[in-house]
Amino acid sequence: MRFAPRHILLFMAALSISSCTMTAERSLASVTLPLSGNDPLEDFVPAHNAVRARHRLPSLKWSPQLASYAQQWANQLRKRNNCRMKHRPGKGRFAQQYGENLLWVGPTRWSDGRSALYRMTPQMITDIWANEKRDYRYRSNSCKRGKICGHYTQVVWRDTREVGCAKAVCRDKSQLWVCNYDPPGNYRGERPY
């Protein structure tokens, strides 16, 4: 028998490069998700472009180079950081070169102790980031107090042209998702669109 979860904790971290408008934070969101499934990572492109189209922004293209870059970091977090989210550092071997959105999704827990993956699609992940729009104030170019909106502003950053994303599955069946963006967004003093 499987215990039905009341909610899944999704940890999100805002883009944390030195020119970032929003500060790096972690947030909790409560959602119910179905089990299993496997969608192509390239599905992030139409998901992002649907959000961008609402602002008449140029469409993004899939970048295999950015996807490889994202996969490198997802693998590093799985292997060396015990599947805890952390943005790439500003210096060193894994220095950040692009914009970045991260998402962690916990596993389903079964009554006998087993874990299973939740089915997360690129559309679902993009929607989680896009839903931060409700916490973004265009006029002041800031997030509402105590909220994060840097994932949303990166998705709709007007100058971004390419996206590449990756996923790592952890031993406990949690998931780490990484999307990288070129050119990056969230520059201090600039609006996303």
Side-chain angles (χ1 to χ4, degrees):
M1 168 180 240
R2 180 176 72 96
F3 290 124
R6 290 186 181 180
H7 63 280
I8 300 168
L9 298 180
L10 302 173
F11 293 92
M12 300 176 285
L15 178 65
S16 61
I17 56 177
S18 61
S19 59
C20 182
T21 303
M22 293 36 148
T23 60
E25 298 178 6
R26 287 167 47 155
S27 172
L28 302 177
S30 178
V31 295
T32 302
L33 304 171
L35 294 170
S36 70
N38 194 12
D39 295 87
L41 291 171
E42 290 87 351
D43 285 353
F44 273 104
V45 172
H48 276 61
N49 286 339
V51 177
R52 294 172 66 82
R54 295 178 202 141
H55 300 290
R56 298 183 180 148
L57 295 168
S59 295
L60 298 182
K61 294 180 182 171
W62 181 255
S63 168
Q65 176 187 349
L66 288 175
S68 176
Y69 185 80
Q71 190 66 63
Q72 176 194 46
W73 189 239
N75 292 344
Q76 178 69 10
L77 291 175
R78 177 182 60 209
K79 184 177 178 182
R80 299 274 188 232
N81 206 40
N82 199 25
C83 280
R84 288 185 306 244
M85 284 193 324
K86 180 180 177 183
H87 281 285
R88 282 178 179 262
K91 298 178 185 177
R93 178 177 168 213
F94 292 103
Q96 183 61 269
Q97 300 174 35
Y98 305 104
E100 183 171 83
N101 279 347
L102 302 175
L103 183 78
W104 177 88
V105 181
T108 297
R109 302 273 185 206
W110 298 78
S111 60
D112 63 3
R114 290 179 298 135
S115 296
L117 285 176
Y118 273 102
R119 180 178 188 260
M120 291 298 293
T121 67
Q123 183 66 57
M124 293 163 73
I125 293 163
T126 303
D127 287 346
I128 289 168
W129 293 331
N131 284 337
E132 291 177 0
K133 179 182 180 187
R134 67 179 169 251
D135 297 320
Y136 175 65
R137 296 177 179 164
Y138 185 81
R139 188 175 189 138
S140 64
N141 191 33
S142 64
C143 301
K144 290 181 183 175
R145 187 180 180 121
K147 302 291 184 176
I148 62 169
C149 58
H151 303 97
Y152 164 71
T153 55
Q154 178 58 79
V155 168
V156 297
W157 197 261
R158 70 184 169 279
D159 296 330
T160 299
R161 295 295 179 262
E162 296 182 319
V163 63
C165 303
K167 167 186 168 182
V169 176
C170 306
R171 273 185 243 133
D172 69 351
K173 302 296 185 189
S174 62
Q175 303 165 56
L176 287 166
W177 294 82
V178 179
C179 283
N180 287 115
Y181 302 84
D182 191 30
N186 288 348
Y187 287 100
R188 186 177 305 280
E190 293 184 33
R191 286 184 169 80
Y193 46 84

